[in-house]
Amino acid sequence: MARRIAAGAAYGGGSIGLLGAAGVGVLLAEVQLAKRSVGGGTAPVPPSGDGWYGLAFGHTEPLRMGMLGDSTAAGQGVRRAGQTPGALLASGLAAVAERPVDLWNVALPGARSDDLDRQVTLLLSDPSRVPDVCVIMIGANDVTHRLPATQSVRCLAAAVRRLRTAGAEVVVGTCPDLGTIEPVYQPLRWLARRVSRQLAAAQTIVAVEQGARTVSLGDLLGPEFAANPRELFGPDNYHPSAEGYATAAMAVLPTLCAVLNLWPETDRLDATRDEDMLPVAKAASAAAAQAGTEVTGARAPWALLKHRRRRHLPTAAEATPAGAVPNGAVPAGAVPPGAVPSGATPPDGPPDAEETRQVGWEA
């Protein structure tokens, strides 16, 4: 199905959808019940995270990073700029690169993939701020507003192509699994999961074909959110909380660093992490089913499936060990958390969320 959607987008098809008409009537009552529960609280307007991060590394030669997408990319559901995924990623990128990062977030809550053209135009409007790398998180509103799947992935492919033509590297966080939203009941939950994964797989195919890397966000809203719904969902029961965004950021950060050649890469597949070289459609399907899976294009029609290591969120005791400097300050002459001293080997995994906050300053 994902391959059919991608092919339909490439050749102008518009009739291939993710839902058949047969089951729609049966699910209408479930949809109405879900609407009464989802969004019952109030999600705060997402704070602007635009600005420079990692100023401890200087004020010149910044890496320019763009953030595009919907409310997930904007960070709706949190109140502090430092808790948004853009700020977390910019802080982590600065720590690994040992360079400041200039973040420009043009994501719009409620946006669908057909808004990406406007966002890309805005991001490329200033010749002096053309991004080095862009992160796109999109897809949830395409499902909930029934945007035709072929149109959805066609818009994403066009956005990735424009950014790549402008010289930016691109990382796409694919459609999250909407079947994990707590107030959604069966059979709508099963259908939402199926539709979300099909769209995520189709997004992976078209993004990789345009030269981007993708990271599956689907199951990040799966086992972890199901086990801790009150902790990882925001006050409206729909958007992630600060901890939820930190979980997603930790999944995307290694790929963000790797695409800029800041992370050690190897052509050898790690069997212990179920890494493999697969046809792109099969790699897309496998990635949609497992959170945090990266898909990178190889020689057509093959793609590399990678499962980069993610660390757990530190407990309070782990985040403040004995003898640590209060408030995340860095002692004179010390190496900031997550940074790599000159001549040293990069760490085996990405900095923890707490570490990225210590080296990143809100704009």
Side-chain angles (χ1 to χ4, degrees), residues 311-327:
R311 296 180 181 175
H312 69 284
L313 288 171
T315 63
E318 292 172 332
T320 312
V325 180
N327 300 324

Side-chain angles (χ1 to χ4, degrees), residues 12-318:
S15 61
I16 300 174
L18 292 171
L19 287 177
V24 173
V26 180
L27 298 172
L28 287 179
E30 289 285 347
V31 171
Q32 294 304 317
L33 287 173
K35 285 182 177 179
R36 293 177 185 176
S37 300
V38 174
T42 301
V45 175
S48 174
D50 292 356
W52 285 46
Y53 293 79
L55 294 180
F57 302 111
H59 296 74
T60 59
E61 298 183 358
L63 284 170
R64 304 196 186 279
M65 174 181 160
M67 198 81 183
L68 308 90
D70 53 24
S71 55
T72 304
Q76 188 165 12
V78 298
R79 300 183 182 278
R80 296 175 52 196
Q83 296 172 330
T84 61
L88 293 170
L89 290 171
S91 298
L93 182 59
V96 175
E98 298 186 10
R99 289 173 59 184
V101 174
D102 180 12
L103 172 66
W104 190 1
N105 194 332
V106 296
L108 178 67
R112 301 177 301 183
S113 293
D114 53 9
D115 188 58
L116 287 176
D117 181 67
R118 181 195 64 83
Q119 295 183 26
V120 172
T121 299
L122 180 60
L123 198 62
L124 300 179
S125 61
D126 185 352
S128 66
R129 284 186 83 182
V130 174
D132 298 297
V133 64
C134 293
V135 177
I136 303 175
M137 295 182 178
I138 199 79
N141 294 317
D142 295 9
V143 174
T144 59
H145 291 76
R146 293 186 294 179
L147 185 70
T150 49
Q151 181 182 352
S152 173
V153 296
R154 187 184 303 124
C155 293
L156 175 62
V160 173
R161 183 164 55 250
R162 290 182 62 191
L163 292 170
R164 295 287 292 138
T165 301
E169 300 290 346
V170 180
V171 176
V172 177
T174 56
C175 180
D177 184 353
L178 297 181
T180 60
I181 299 173
E182 190 181 30
V184 178
Y185 304 105
Q186 298 290 8
L188 184 59
R189 180 188 295 272
W190 173 86
L191 184 61
R193 172 163 294 159
R194 179 172 178 266
V195 170
S196 301
R197 290 187 176 183
Q198 286 180 352
L199 180 57
Q203 288 177 321
T204 299
I205 293 172
V206 299
V208 168
E209 289 177 346
Q210 296 299 325
R213 299 193 189 195
T214 65
V215 178
S216 168
L217 298 182
D219 282 349
L220 290 178
L221 304 179
E224 296 173 0
F225 275 42
N228 303 287
R230 299 305 178 191
E231 178 183 352
L232 292 178
F233 276 113
D236 63 351
N237 294 330
Y238 185 79
H239 294 97
S241 65
E243 290 79 9
Y245 282 127
T247 301
M250 283 193 295
V252 175
L253 179 59
T255 301
L256 182 64
C257 295
V259 80
L260 292 172
N261 297 318
L262 300 172
W263 216 255
E265 293 274 45
T266 177
D267 293 332
R268 187 182 62 201
L269 299 175
D270 189 341
T272 63
R273 300 187 189 182
D274 296 325
E275 296 182 348
D276 204 352
M277 186 77 73
L278 298 170
V280 64
K282 290 187 177 181
S285 178
Q290 185 169 356
T293 304
E294 174 191 311
V295 179
T296 305
R299 185 170 58 186
W302 300 90
L304 180 61
L305 203 71
K306 296 184 73 71
H307 298 104
R308 298 185 182 274
R309 186 172 301 169
R310 293 190 297 120
R311 296 180 181 175
H312 69 284
L313 288 171
T315 63
E318 292 172 332

